[in-house]
Coordinates of all heavy atoms in Angstrom, one line a residue:
M1 N 4.3 -15.8 30.6 CA 4.5 -16.1 32.0 C 3.1 -16.0 32.7 O 2.4 -15.1 32.4 CB 5.4 -15.1 32.6 CG 6.8 -15.5 32.6 SD 7.8 -14.3 33.6 CE 7.7 -12.8 32.6
T2 N 2.8 -17.0 33.5 CA 1.6 -16.9 34.3 C 2.0 -17.2 35.8 O 2.9 -17.8 36.1 CB 0.6 -18.0 33.8 OG1 1.2 -19.2 33.9 CG2 0.2 -17.7 32.4
T3 N 1.1 -16.6 36.6 CA 1.3 -16.9 38.1 C 0.6 -18.2 38.4 O 0.0 -18.8 37.6 CB 0.7 -15.7 38.9 OG1 -0.7 -15.6 38.6 CG2 1.3 -14.4 38.5
M4 N 0.7 -18.6 39.7 CA 0.1 -19.8 40.1 C -1.4 -19.8 40.0 O -2.1 -20.8 39.8 CB 0.4 -20.1 41.6 CG 1.9 -20.3 41.8 SD 2.5 -21.8 40.9 CE 2.0 -23.0 42.0
S5 N -2.1 -18.6 40.0 CA -3.5 -18.5 39.9 C -3.9 -18.6 38.4 O -5.1 -18.6 38.1 CB -4.0 -17.2 40.5 OG -3.5 -16.1 39.8
G6 N -3.0 -18.6 37.5 CA -3.3 -18.7 36.1 C -3.4 -17.4 35.4 O -3.7 -17.3 34.2
V7 N -3.3 -16.3 36.2 CA -3.3 -14.9 35.6 C -2.0 -14.6 35.0 O -0.9 -14.8 35.6 CB -3.7 -13.9 36.8 CG1 -3.7 -12.5 36.2 CG2 -5.0 -14.3 37.4
P8 N -2.0 -14.1 33.8 CA -0.7 -13.7 33.2 C 0.1 -12.7 34.0 O -0.5 -11.7 34.5 CB -1.1 -13.1 31.8 CG -2.5 -13.5 31.6 CD -3.1 -13.8 32.9
A9 N 1.3 -13.0 34.2 CA 2.2 -12.1 35.0 C 2.7 -11.0 34.0 O 2.9 -11.2 32.8 CB 3.3 -12.8 35.6
A10 N 3.0 -9.8 34.5 CA 3.6 -8.8 33.7 C 5.0 -9.2 33.3 O 5.8 -9.7 34.1 CB 3.6 -7.5 34.5
P11 N 5.4 -8.9 32.1 CA 6.8 -9.2 31.7 C 7.7 -8.3 32.4 O 7.4 -7.2 32.8 CB 6.8 -8.9 30.2 CG 5.6 -8.1 29.9 CD 4.6 -8.3 31.0
P12 N 9.0 -8.8 32.6 CA 10.0 -8.0 33.2 C 10.2 -6.7 32.4 O 9.9 -6.6 31.2 CB 11.3 -8.8 33.1 CG 10.8 -10.2 32.9 CD 9.5 -10.1 32.2
P13 N 10.6 -5.6 33.1 CA 10.7 -4.3 32.5 C 11.6 -4.3 31.2 O 11.3 -3.6 30.3 CB 11.3 -3.4 33.6 CG 11.0 -4.1 34.9 CD 10.9 -5.5 34.6
G14 N 12.7 -5.1 31.2 CA 13.5 -5.1 30.1 C 12.8 -5.7 28.9 O 12.9 -5.2 27.7
D15 N 12.0 -6.8 29.1 CA 11.3 -7.4 28.0 C 10.2 -6.4 27.5 O 9.9 -6.4 26.3 CB 10.6 -8.7 28.5 CG 11.6 -9.8 28.7 OD1 12.8 -9.7 28.3 OD2 11.2 -10.8 29.3
L16 N 9.5 -5.7 28.4 CA 8.5 -4.8 28.0 C 9.1 -3.7 27.2 O 8.5 -3.3 26.1 CB 7.8 -4.2 29.3 CG 6.6 -3.4 29.1 CD1 5.5 -4.2 28.4 CD2 6.1 -2.9 30.4
R17 N 10.3 -3.2 27.5 CA 10.9 -2.1 26.8 C 11.3 -2.7 25.4 O 11.1 -2.0 24.4 CB 12.2 -1.7 27.5 CG 13.0 -0.6 26.7 CD 14.1 0.0 27.5 NE 15.1 0.7 26.9 CZ 14.9 1.7 25.9 NH1 13.8 2.0 25.5 NH2 16.0 2.3 25.4
Q18 N 11.8 -3.9 25.3 CA 12.2 -4.5 24.0 C 11.0 -4.7 23.2 O 11.0 -4.4 22.0 CB 12.9 -5.8 24.3 CG 13.5 -6.4 23.1 CD 14.3 -7.7 23.5 OE1 14.2 -8.2 24.5 NE2 15.1 -8.1 22.5
T19 N 9.9 -5.1 23.7 CA 8.6 -5.3 23.0 C 8.1 -3.9 22.4 O 7.7 -3.8 21.3 CB 7.5 -5.9 23.9 OG1 8.0 -7.2 24.3 CG2 6.2 -6.1 23.1
A20 N 8.2 -2.9 23.3 CA 7.7 -1.5 22.9 C 8.6 -1.0 21.7 O 8.1 -0.4 20.8 CB 7.8 -0.6 24.1
V21 N 9.9 -1.2 21.9 CA 10.8 -0.7 20.8 C 10.6 -1.4 19.5 O 10.5 -0.8 18.4 CB 12.3 -0.9 21.3 CG1 13.3 -0.7 20.1 CG2 12.6 0.1 22.4
G22 N 10.3 -2.7 19.6 CA 10.0 -3.5 18.4 C 8.8 -3.1 17.7 O 8.7 -2.9 16.5
R23 N 7.7 -2.8 18.5 CA 6.5 -2.3 17.9 C 6.6 -0.9 17.3 O 6.1 -0.7 16.2 CB 5.4 -2.3 19.0 CG 4.9 -3.7 19.3 CD 3.7 -3.6 20.3 NE 3.3 -5.0 20.6 CZ 2.3 -5.3 21.4 NH1 1.6 -4.3 22.0 NH2 2.0 -6.5 21.7
L24 N 7.3 0.0 18.0 CA 7.5 1.3 17.4 C 8.4 1.2 16.1 O 8.1 1.9 15.2 CB 8.3 2.2 18.4 CG 7.4 2.6 19.6 CD1 8.3 3.3 20.7 CD2 6.3 3.5 19.2
R25 N 9.3 0.3 16.1 CA 10.1 0.1 14.8 C 9.2 -0.4 13.7 O 9.3 0.1 12.6 CB 11.3 -0.9 15.1 CG 12.2 -1.0 14.0 CD 13.5 -1.7 14.3 NE 14.3 -0.9 15.2 CZ 14.8 -1.3 16.4 NH1 14.6 -2.5 16.8 NH2 15.5 -0.5 17.1
K26 N 8.3 -1.3 14.0 CA 7.4 -1.8 13.0 C 6.5 -0.8 12.4 O 6.2 -0.7 11.2 CB 6.6 -3.0 13.5 CG 7.4 -4.3 13.7 CD 6.6 -5.4 14.4 CE 5.9 -6.2 13.3 NZ 5.2 -7.4 13.9
R27 N 6.0 0.1 13.3 CA 5.2 1.2 12.9 C 5.9 2.2 12.0 O 5.4 2.7 11.0 CB 4.5 1.9 14.1 CG 3.4 1.1 14.7 CD 2.8 1.9 15.8 NE 1.7 1.1 16.4 CZ 1.0 1.4 17.4 NH1 1.1 2.6 17.9 NH2 0.0 0.6 17.9
R28 N 7.2 2.5 12.4 CA 8.0 3.4 11.6 C 8.2 2.8 10.2 O 8.2 3.5 9.2 CB 9.3 3.7 12.3 CG 10.3 4.5 11.5 CD 9.7 5.8 11.1 NE 10.2 6.8 12.0 CZ 9.7 8.1 12.0 NH1 8.9 8.5 11.1 NH2 10.2 8.9 12.8
E29 N 8.5 1.5 10.1 CA 8.7 0.8 8.8 C 7.5 0.9 8.0 O 7.5 1.1 6.8 CB 9.2 -0.6 9.1 CG 10.6 -0.7 9.6 CD 10.9 -2.1 10.1 OE1 10.1 -3.0 10.0 OE2 12.1 -2.3 10.5
L30 N 6.3 0.7 8.6 CA 5.0 0.8 7.9 C 4.8 2.2 7.3 O 4.4 2.4 6.2 CB 3.9 0.4 8.8 CG 2.5 0.6 8.2 CD1 2.3 -0.3 7.0 CD2 1.4 0.4 9.2
Q31 N 5.1 3.2 8.1 CA 5.0 4.6 7.7 C 5.9 4.8 6.4 O 5.5 5.5 5.5 CB 5.4 5.6 8.8 CG 4.4 5.7 9.9 CD 4.9 6.5 11.0 OE1 6.1 6.8 11.2 NE2 4.0 6.9 11.9
T32 N 7.1 4.3 6.5 CA 8.0 4.5 5.3 C 7.5 3.8 4.1 O 7.5 4.3 3.0 CB 9.4 3.9 5.7 OG1 9.9 4.6 6.9 CG2 10.4 4.1 4.6
H33 N 6.9 2.6 4.3 CA 6.4 1.8 3.2 C 5.2 2.5 2.6 O 5.1 2.6 1.4 CB 6.0 0.4 3.8 CG 5.6 -0.6 2.7 ND1 5.2 -1.9 3.0 CD2 5.6 -0.5 1.4 CE1 4.9 -2.5 1.9 NE2 5.2 -1.7 0.9
V34 N 4.3 3.0 3.4 CA 3.1 3.7 2.9 C 3.5 5.0 2.1 O 3.0 5.3 1.1 CB 2.1 4.0 4.0 CG1 1.0 5.0 3.5 CG2 1.5 2.7 4.5
L35 N 4.5 5.7 2.7 CA 5.0 6.9 2.0 C 5.6 6.6 0.6 O 5.3 7.3 -0.4 CB 6.0 7.7 2.9 CG 6.6 8.9 2.3 CD1 5.5 10.0 2.1 CD2 7.7 9.5 3.2
A36 N 6.4 5.6 0.6 CA 7.0 5.2 -0.7 C 5.9 4.7 -1.7 O 5.9 5.1 -2.9 CB 8.0 4.0 -0.5
Y37 N 4.9 4.0 -1.2 CA 3.8 3.6 -2.0 C 3.1 4.8 -2.6 O 2.8 4.8 -3.8 CB 2.8 2.7 -1.2 CG 1.5 2.3 -1.9 CD1 1.5 1.3 -2.8 CD2 0.4 3.0 -1.7 CE1 0.4 0.9 -3.4 CE2 -0.8 2.7 -2.3 CZ -0.8 1.6 -3.2 OH -2.0 1.2 -3.8
V38 N 2.7 5.7 -1.8 CA 2.0 6.9 -2.3 C 2.8 7.7 -3.2 O 2.3 8.1 -4.3 CB 1.5 7.8 -1.1 CG1 1.0 9.1 -1.5 CG2 0.5 7.0 -0.2
L39 N 4.1 8.0 -2.9 CA 4.9 8.8 -3.8 C 5.2 8.2 -5.1 O 5.0 8.8 -6.2 CB 6.2 9.2 -3.1 CG 6.1 10.1 -1.9 CD1 7.5 10.3 -1.2 CD2 5.5 11.5 -2.3
V40 N 5.6 6.9 -5.1 CA 5.9 6.2 -6.4 C 4.6 6.1 -7.2 O 4.7 6.4 -8.5 CB 6.5 4.9 -6.1 CG1 6.6 4.0 -7.4 CG2 7.9 5.0 -5.5
N41 N 3.5 5.7 -6.6 CA 2.3 5.5 -7.4 C 1.7 6.9 -7.9 O 1.2 6.9 -9.0 CB 1.3 4.7 -6.7 CG 1.7 3.2 -6.7 OD1 1.8 2.6 -7.8 ND2 2.0 2.7 -5.5
A42 N 1.9 7.9 -7.1 CA 1.5 9.2 -7.6 C 2.3 9.7 -8.8 O 1.8 10.2 -9.8 CB 1.6 10.3 -6.5
F43 N 3.6 9.4 -8.8 CA 4.5 9.6 -9.9 C 4.0 8.9 -11.1 O 4.0 9.4 -12.3 CB 5.9 9.3 -9.5 CG 6.9 9.6 -10.6 CD1 7.2 10.9 -11.0 CD2 7.6 8.6 -11.2 CE1 8.1 11.2 -12.0 CE2 8.5 8.8 -12.2 CZ 8.8 10.1 -12.6
L44 N 3.7 7.6 -11.0 CA 3.3 6.8 -12.1 C 1.9 7.3 -12.7 O 1.8 7.3 -13.9 CB 3.1 5.3 -11.7 CG 4.4 4.6 -11.3 CD1 4.2 3.2 -10.8 CD2 5.4 4.6 -12.5
V45 N 1.0 7.7 -11.8 CA -0.3 8.2 -12.3 C 0.0 9.5 -13.0 O -0.7 9.8 -14.1 CB -1.3 8.4 -11.1 CG1 -2.5 9.1 -11.6 CG2 -1.7 7.0 -10.6
A46 N 0.9 10.3 -12.5 CA 1.2 11.6 -13.2 C 1.8 11.3 -14.6 O 1.4 12.0 -15.6 CB 2.2 12.4 -12.4
I47 N 2.7 10.3 -14.7 CA 3.2 10.0 -16.0 C 2.1 9.5 -17.0 O 2.0 10.0 -18.1 CB 4.3 8.9 -15.9 CG1 5.5 9.4 -15.2 CG2 4.6 8.3 -17.2 CD1 6.6 8.3 -14.9
W48 N 1.2 8.7 -16.5 CA 0.1 8.3 -17.3 C -0.8 9.4 -17.7 O -1.1 9.6 -18.9 CB -0.8 7.3 -16.5 CG -2.1 7.0 -17.2 CD1 -2.3 6.1 -18.2 CD2 -3.3 7.6 -16.8 NE1 -3.7 6.2 -18.5 CE2 -4.3 7.1 -17.7 CE3 -3.7 8.6 -15.9 CZ2 -5.6 7.5 -17.7 CZ3 -5.1 9.0 -15.9 CH2 -6.0 8.4 -16.7
W49 N -1.1 10.3 -16.8 CA -1.9 11.5 -17.1 C -1.3 12.4 -18.1 O -2.0 13.0 -18.9 CB -2.3 12.2 -15.8 CG -3.3 13.3 -16.0 CD1 -4.6 13.1 -16.2 CD2 -3.0 14.7 -15.9 NE1 -5.2 14.4 -16.3 CE2 -4.3 15.3 -16.1 CE3 -1.9 15.4 -15.7 CZ2 -4.4 16.7 -16.2 CZ3 -2.0 16.8 -15.7 CH2 -3.3 17.4 -15.9
L50 N 0.0 12.6 -18.0 CA 0.7 13.5 -18.9 C 0.9 12.9 -20.3 O 1.0 13.7 -21.3 CB 2.1 13.9 -18.3 CG 2.0 14.8 -17.1 CD1 3.4 15.0 -16.5 CD2 1.4 16.2 -17.4
T51 N 1.0 11.6 -20.4 CA 1.3 11.0 -21.7 C 0.0 10.5 -22.4 O -0.2 10.8 -23.6 CB 2.2 9.8 -21.5 OG1 1.7 8.9 -20.6 CG2 3.6 10.3 -21.0
T52 N -0.9 9.8 -21.7 CA -2.1 9.2 -22.4 C -3.3 9.3 -21.4 O -3.7 8.2 -21.0 CB -1.8 7.8 -22.8 OG1 -1.4 7.0 -21.7 CG2 -0.8 7.7 -23.9
P53 N -3.8 10.5 -21.1 CA -4.9 10.5 -20.1 C -6.1 9.9 -20.6 O -7.0 9.4 -19.8 CB -5.1 12.1 -20.0 CG -4.5 12.7 -21.2 CD -3.4 11.8 -21.6
D54 N -6.3 9.7 -21.9 CA -7.5 9.0 -22.4 C -7.3 7.6 -22.7 O -8.2 6.8 -23.1 CB -8.0 9.7 -23.7 CG -8.5 11.1 -23.5 OD1 -8.9 11.4 -22.4 OD2 -8.4 11.9 -24.4
G55 N -6.0 7.1 -22.5 CA -5.7 5.7 -22.8 C -5.9 4.8 -21.6 O -6.5 5.2 -20.6
F56 N -5.4 3.6 -21.8 CA -5.6 2.6 -20.8 C -4.9 3.0 -19.5 O -3.7 3.4 -19.5 CB -5.0 1.3 -21.3 CG -5.1 0.1 -20.4 CD1 -6.3 -0.5 -20.1 CD2 -3.9 -0.4 -19.7 CE1 -6.4 -1.5 -19.2 CE2 -4.0 -1.4 -18.8 CZ -5.2 -2.0 -18.6
F57 N -5.5 2.8 -18.3 CA -5.0 3.2 -17.0 C -4.0 2.1 -16.5 O -4.4 1.3 -15.7 CB -6.1 3.5 -16.0 CG -5.6 4.0 -14.7 CD1 -5.1 5.3 -14.6 CD2 -5.7 3.3 -13.6 CE1 -4.6 5.8 -13.4 CE2 -5.3 3.8 -12.4 CZ -4.7 5.0 -12.3
W58 N -2.8 2.1 -17.1 CA -1.9 1.0 -16.7 C -1.3 1.1 -15.3 O -0.9 0.1 -14.7 CB -0.7 1.0 -17.7 CG 0.0 2.3 -17.9 CD1 -0.3 3.2 -18.9 CD2 1.0 2.9 -17.1 NE1 0.5 4.3 -18.7 CE2 1.4 4.1 -17.6 CE3 1.7 2.4 -16.0 CZ2 2.3 4.9 -17.1 CZ3 2.6 3.3 -15.4 CH2 3.0 4.5 -16.0
P59 N -1.4 2.3 -14.6 CA -0.9 2.4 -13.2 C -1.7 1.5 -12.3 O -1.2 1.3 -11.1 CB -1.0 3.9 -12.9 CG -0.9 4.6 -14.2 CD -1.6 3.7 -15.1
M60 N -2.8 1.0 -12.7 CA -3.6 0.2 -11.8 C -2.8 -1.1 -11.4 O -3.0 -1.7 -10.3 CB -5.0 -0.2 -12.4 CG -4.9 -1.2 -13.5 SD -6.6 -1.7 -13.9 CE -6.4 -1.9 -15.7
F61 N -2.0 -1.6 -12.3 CA -1.2 -2.8 -12.0 C -0.3 -2.6 -10.8 O -0.3 -3.4 -9.9 CB -0.5 -3.4 -13.2 CG -1.5 -3.7 -14.3 CD1 -1.6 -3.0 -15.5 CD2 -2.4 -4.8 -14.1 CE1 -2.5 -3.4 -16.5 CE2 -3.3 -5.2 -15.1 CZ -3.4 -4.4 -16.3
P62 N 0.6 -1.6 -10.8 CA 1.5 -1.5 -9.7 C 0.7 -1.0 -8.4 O 1.0 -1.4 -7.3 CB 2.5 -0.4 -10.1 CG 2.0 0.2 -11.3 CD 1.0 -0.8 -11.9
L63 N -0.4 -0.2 -8.6 CA -1.2 0.2 -7.5 C -1.8 -1.0 -6.8 O -1.8 -1.1 -5.6 CB -2.4 1.1 -8.0 CG -2.0 2.6 -8.2 CD1 -3.1 3.3 -9.0 CD2 -1.8 3.3 -6.8
F64 N -2.4 -1.9 -7.6 CA -3.0 -3.1 -7.0 C -2.0 -4.1 -6.4 O -2.1 -4.6 -5.3 CB -3.8 -3.8 -8.1 CG -4.5 -5.1 -7.6 CD1 -5.6 -5.0 -6.7 CD2 -4.1 -6.3 -8.0 CE1 -6.2 -6.2 -6.2 CE2 -4.7 -7.5 -7.5 CZ -5.7 -7.4 -6.6
G65 N -0.9 -4.4 -7.2 CA 0.1 -5.3 -6.8 C 0.8 -4.9 -5.5 O 0.9 -5.7 -4.5
W66 N 1.3 -3.7 -5.5 CA 2.0 -3.2 -4.4 C 1.0 -2.9 -3.2 O 1.4 -3.1 -2.0 CB 2.7 -1.9 -4.7 CG 3.7 -1.4 -3.8 CD1 4.0 -1.8 -2.5 CD2 4.6 -0.3 -4.0 NE1 5.0 -1.1 -2.0 CE2 5.4 -0.1 -2.9 CE3 4.8 0.6 -5.1 CZ2 6.4 0.9 -2.7 CZ3 5.8 1.6 -4.9 CH2 6.5 1.7 -3.8
G67 N -0.2 -2.6 -3.5 CA -1.3 -2.4 -2.5 C -1.5 -3.7 -1.7 O -1.8 -3.6 -0.5
I68 N -1.3 -4.9 -2.3 CA -1.5 -6.1 -1.6 C -0.3 -6.2 -0.5 O -0.6 -6.6 0.6 CB -1.4 -7.3 -2.5 CG1 -2.7 -7.4 -3.4 CG2 -1.2 -8.6 -1.8 CD1 -2.6 -8.4 -4.5
G69 N 0.9 -5.8 -0.9 CA 2.0 -5.8 0.0 C 1.8 -4.9 1.2 O 2.1 -5.2 2.3
V70 N 1.2 -3.7 0.9 CA 0.9 -2.7 1.9 C -0.1 -3.3 2.9 O 0.0 -3.1 4.1 CB 0.5 -1.4 1.4 CG1 0.0 -0.4 2.4 CG2 1.7 -0.7 0.6
A71 N -1.1 -4.0 2.3 CA -2.2 -4.5 3.1 C -1.6 -5.6 4.1 O -2.0 -5.6 5.3 CB -3.3 -5.1 2.3
F72 N -0.7 -6.4 3.6 CA -0.1 -7.4 4.5 C 0.8 -6.8 5.5 O 0.8 -7.2 6.7 CB 0.7 -8.4 3.7 CG -0.1 -9.5 3.1 CD1 -0.2 -9.7 1.7 CD2 -0.8 -10.4 3.9 CE1 -0.9 -10.7 1.1 CE2 -1.6 -11.4 3.3 CZ -1.6 -11.5 1.9
H73 N 1.4 -5.7 5.2 CA 2.2 -5.0 6.1 C 1.4 -4.4 7.2 O 1.7 -4.4 8.4 CB 3.0 -3.9 5.4 CG 4.2 -3.4 6.2 ND1 5.3 -2.8 5.6 CD2 4.5 -3.4 7.5 CE1 6.2 -2.5 6.5 NE2 5.8 -2.9 7.7
L74 N 0.2 -3.8 6.8 CA -0.8 -3.3 7.8 C -1.2 -4.4 8.7 O -1.3 -4.2 10.0 CB -2.0 -2.6 7.1 CG -1.7 -1.2 6.5 CD1 -2.8 -0.9 5.5 CD2 -1.7 -0.2 7.6
W75 N -1.5 -5.5 8.2 CA -2.0 -6.6 9.0 C -0.9 -7.0 10.0 O -1.3 -7.2 11.2 CB -2.3 -7.8 8.0 CG -2.7 -9.1 8.8 CD1 -1.9 -10.0 9.3 CD2 -4.1 -9.5 9.1 NE1 -2.6 -11.0 9.9 CE2 -4.0 -10.7 9.8 CE3 -5.3 -8.9 8.9 CZ2 -5.1 -11.3 10.3 CZ3 -6.4 -9.6 9.3 CH2 -6.3 -10.8 10.0
D76 N 0.3 -7.1 9.6 CA 1.4 -7.5 10.5 C 1.5 -6.5 11.6 O 1.8 -6.9 12.7 CB 2.7 -7.6 9.7 CG 3.9 -8.1 10.5 OD1 3.7 -9.0 11.3 OD2 4.9 -7.4 10.5
V77 N 1.4 -5.2 11.3 CA 1.7 -4.2 12.4 C 0.5 -4.1 13.3 O 0.7 -4.1 14.5 CB 2.0 -2.9 11.7 CG1 2.0 -1.8 12.8 CG2 3.3 -2.9 11.0
F78 N -0.7 -4.1 12.8 CA -1.9 -3.8 13.6 C -2.6 -5.0 14.2 O -3.2 -4.9 15.3 CB -2.9 -2.8 12.9 CG -2.3 -1.5 12.8 CD1 -1.9 -1.0 11.5 CD2 -2.0 -0.7 13.9 CE1 -1.4 0.3 11.4 CE2 -1.5 0.6 13.7 CZ -1.1 1.1 12.5
V79 N -2.7 -6.1 13.4 CA -3.3 -7.3 13.9 C -2.3 -8.0 14.8 O -2.7 -8.6 15.8 CB -3.9 -8.1 12.8 CG1 -4.5 -9.4 13.3 CG2 -4.9 -7.4 12.0
G80 N -1.1 -8.0 14.4 CA 0.0 -8.6 15.2 C 0.3 -10.0 14.8 O -0.6 -10.8 14.3
S81 N 1.5 -10.4 15.0 CA 2.0 -11.7 14.6 C 2.5 -12.4 15.9 O 2.9 -13.6 15.8 CB 3.1 -11.6 13.6 OG 4.2 -10.9 14.1
E82 N 2.3 -11.8 17.0 CA 2.8 -12.5 18.2 C 1.6 -13.3 18.8 O 0.6 -12.7 19.0 CB 3.3 -11.4 19.2 CG 4.5 -10.7 18.8 CD 5.1 -9.8 19.9 OE1 4.9 -10.1 21.0 OE2 5.7 -8.8 19.5
P83 N 1.9 -14.5 19.1 CA 0.8 -15.4 19.6 C 0.5 -15.0 21.1 O 1.4 -14.6 21.8 CB 1.3 -16.8 19.5 CG 2.8 -16.6 19.4 CD 3.1 -15.3 18.8
S84 N -0.7 -15.3 21.5 CA -1.0 -15.1 23.0 C -0.3 -16.2 23.8 O 0.1 -17.2 23.3 CB -2.5 -15.1 23.1 OG -3.0 -16.4 22.9
E85 N -0.3 -15.9 25.1 CA 0.3 -16.9 26.1 C -0.5 -18.2 26.0 O 0.1 -19.2 26.1 CB 0.3 -16.3 27.5 CG 1.5 -15.5 27.8 CD 2.8 -16.2 27.7 OE1 2.9 -17.4 28.1 OE2 3.7 -15.6 27.1
E86 N -1.8 -18.1 25.9 CA -2.7 -19.3 25.8 C -2.3 -20.1 24.6 O -2.2 -21.3 24.7 CB -4.1 -18.9 25.8 CG -4.7 -18.3 27.0 CD -6.1 -17.9 26.9 OE1 -6.8 -18.3 26.0 OE2 -6.6 -17.1 27.8
A87 N -2.1 -19.5 23.4 CA -1.7 -20.2 22.2 C -0.4 -20.9 22.4 O -0.2 -22.0 22.0 CB -1.7 -19.3 21.0
I88 N 0.6 -20.2 23.0 CA 1.9 -20.7 23.2 C 1.8 -21.9 24.2 O 2.4 -23.0 23.9 CB 2.8 -19.7 23.8 CG1 3.1 -18.6 22.8 CG2 4.2 -20.3 24.3 CD1 3.8 -17.4 23.3
R89 N 1.1 -21.8 25.3 CA 0.9 -22.9 26.2 C 0.2 -24.1 25.6 O 0.6 -25.2 25.7 CB 0.1 -22.4 27.4 CG -0.2 -23.5 28.5 CD 1.0 -24.1 29.1 NE 1.8 -23.1 29.7 CZ 3.1 -23.4 30.1 NH1 3.6 -24.5 29.9 NH2 3.8 -22.4 30.6
A90 N -0.8 -23.9 24.7 CA -1.5 -25.0 24.1 C -0.6 -25.7 23.1 O -0.6 -26.9 23.0 CB -2.7 -24.4 23.3
E91 N 0.3 -25.0 22.4 CA 1.2 -25.6 21.5 C 2.3 -26.4 22.2 O 2.6 -27.5 21.8 CB 1.9 -24.5 20.6 CG 2.8 -25.1 19.6 CD 2.1 -26.0 18.5 OE1 0.9 -25.9 18.4 OE2 2.9 -26.7 17.8
M92 N 2.7 -25.8 23.4 CA 3.7 -26.6 24.2 C 3.1 -27.9 24.7 O 3.8 -28.9 24.7 CB 4.2 -25.7 25.3 CG 5.1 -24.5 24.9 SD 5.5 -23.3 26.2 CE 6.2 -24.3 27.4
D93 N 1.8 -27.8 25.2 CA 1.2 -29.0 25.7 C 1.0 -30.0 24.5 O 1.2 -31.2 24.8 CB -0.2 -28.6 26.2 CG -0.1 -27.8 27.5 OD1 1.0 -27.8 28.1 OD2 -1.1 -27.2 27.9
R94 N 0.7 -29.6 23.4 CA 0.5 -30.5 22.2 C 1.8 -31.2 21.9 O 1.9 -32.4 21.6 CB 0.0 -29.7 21.0 CG -0.4 -30.6 19.8 CD -0.8 -29.8 18.6 NE 0.3 -29.1 18.0 CZ 1.2 -29.7 17.2 NH1 1.1 -31.0 17.0 NH2 2.2 -29.0 16.7
L95 N 2.9 -30.4 21.9 CA 4.2 -30.9 21.6 C 4.7 -31.9 22.7 O 5.4 -32.9 22.4 CB 5.3 -29.8 21.4 CG 5.1 -29.0 20.2 CD1 6.0 -27.8 20.2 CD2 5.3 -29.8 18.9
E96 N 4.3 -31.7 23.9 CA 4.7 -32.6 25.0 C 4.0 -33.9 24.9 O 4.6 -35.0 25.3 CB 4.4 -32.0 26.4 CG 5.4 -30.9 26.8 CD 5.0 -30.2 28.1 OE1 3.9 -30.6 28.7 OE2 5.7 -29.3 28.5
K97 N 2.8 -34.0 24.3 CA 2.1 -35.2 24.1 C 2.6 -36.1 23.1 O 2.3 -37.3 23.0 CB 0.6 -34.9 23.9 CG -0.1 -34.3 25.1 CD -1.5 -34.0 24.7 CE -2.2 -33.3 25.9 NZ -3.6 -32.9 25.6
R98 N 3.5 -35.5 22.2 CA 4.0 -36.3 21.1 C 5.0 -37.3 21.6 O 5.7 -37.7 22.2 CB 4.7 -35.4 20.1 CG 3.7 -34.6 19.3 CD 4.5 -33.7 18.4 NE 4.1 -34.1 17.0 CZ 4.7 -33.6 15.9 NH1 5.7 -32.8 16.1 NH2 4.3 -33.9 14.7

């Protein structure tokens, strides 16, 4: 939403609350994801260390593979996936020209 002067208007209180709840939910999900990543991979490293500490470090595969998923989750939460008002307006203008 923008005002007549082109300055973005504040979202209505209900929308602001909904946005805040959504962001908090995403952060909680990220915390859960990171905790699962750390606990499961620590368990896998412990298994490797107890069985073949001088052998091939096979836990690197789940650490790396799952780490990519955690990195994308971090990106989604902190960089954000919501477009700015300017990007939305530009896309709407582009669609109207079609």
Side-chain angles (χ1 to χ4, degrees):
M1 270 188 292
T2 58
T3 61
M4 296 299 278
S5 64
V7 176
D15 289 347
L16 191 59
R17 177 173 168 44
Q18 190 174 13
T19 301
V21 168
R23 287 186 182 181
L24 290 171
R25 186 170 289 132
K26 286 174 94 173
R27 285 187 181 178
R28 174 58 99 186
E29 290 169 356
L30 174 64
Q31 289 172 344
T32 303
H33 190 180
V34 170
L35 180 64
Y37 174 81
V38 169
L39 292 176
V40 169
N41 284 299
F43 180 69
L44 293 176
V45 170
I47 289 172
W48 167 81
W49 187 71
L50 291 171
T51 58
T52 55
D54 295 332
F56 180 70
F57 186 68
W58 54 265
M60 75 175 142
F61 297 112
L63 279 165
F64 179 71
W66 195 351
I68 292 171
V70 170
F72 278 118
H73 201 156
L74 283 164
W75 177 274
D76 181 49
V77 171
F78 291 111
V79 175
S81 58
E82 293 186 29
S84 67
E85 273 302 314
E86 290 177 16
I88 293 169
R89 177 60 56 196
E91 183 64 16
M92 289 171 57
D93 291 343
R94 188 185 70 77
L95 289 171
E96 285 176 356
K97 291 179 184 176
R98 289 177 117 189

